[in-house]
Amino acid sequence: RGRETGAKVWEQADAHVQDLLRCAAASELIANTPVPQSYSHHTSRFLFLWSLTLPFFLINCCGPVASILAHLFISWALLGTEQVGHLIEDPFGFTVPSPQ
């Protein structure tokens, strides 16, 4: 009876290890899939245009001086977040050439 229980434990452990390996393989597939350049450019352009129009909307609720300060802070935060996103896309500083 003890051998049966031990064998079951090893079978379950092996099944869990196989599940873990499948998850790791799926994660590597996701990690190695590049973000399309058009998506990255579109996001950058949209953020740039949004940040250009932001002061016109802030001036009504904050006043001229506070809207300038708020615009600088909000733009700094969002552009910094965008830069972090670009760094996360290429964490090791090199891109793998896509097959053509």
Side-chain angles (χ1 to χ4, degrees):
R1 175 135 172 110
R3 282 192 156 181
E4 282 181 21
T5 306
K8 276 189 173 185
V9 168
W10 281 109
E11 287 175 13
Q12 288 177 343
D14 186 51
H16 288 302
V17 168
Q18 294 303 320
D19 286 341
L20 182 62
L21 289 174
R22 276 192 292 278
C23 289
S27 297
E28 283 212 20
L29 181 63
I30 292 170
N32 292 330
T33 303
V35 174
Q37 283 289 343
S38 60
Y39 175 79
S40 180
H41 290 304
H42 177 73
T43 306
S44 297
R45 288 182 190 127
F46 175 77
L47 186 58
F48 177 73
L49 288 174
W50 184 85
S51 131
L52 278 179
T53 61
L54 182 63
F56 299 109
F57 296 100
L58 286 176
I59 202 158
N60 292 333
C61 68
C62 301
V65 175
S67 69
I68 291 171
L69 294 174
H71 175 252
L72 289 174
F73 176 74
I74 292 169
S75 295
W76 171 77
L78 290 176
L79 292 171
T81 303
E82 181 195 19
Q83 184 64 34
V84 169
H86 287 295
L87 291 173
I88 289 173
E89 289 175 14
D90 191 19
F92 302 113
F94 61 91
T95 55
V96 177
S98 61
Q100 295 180 10

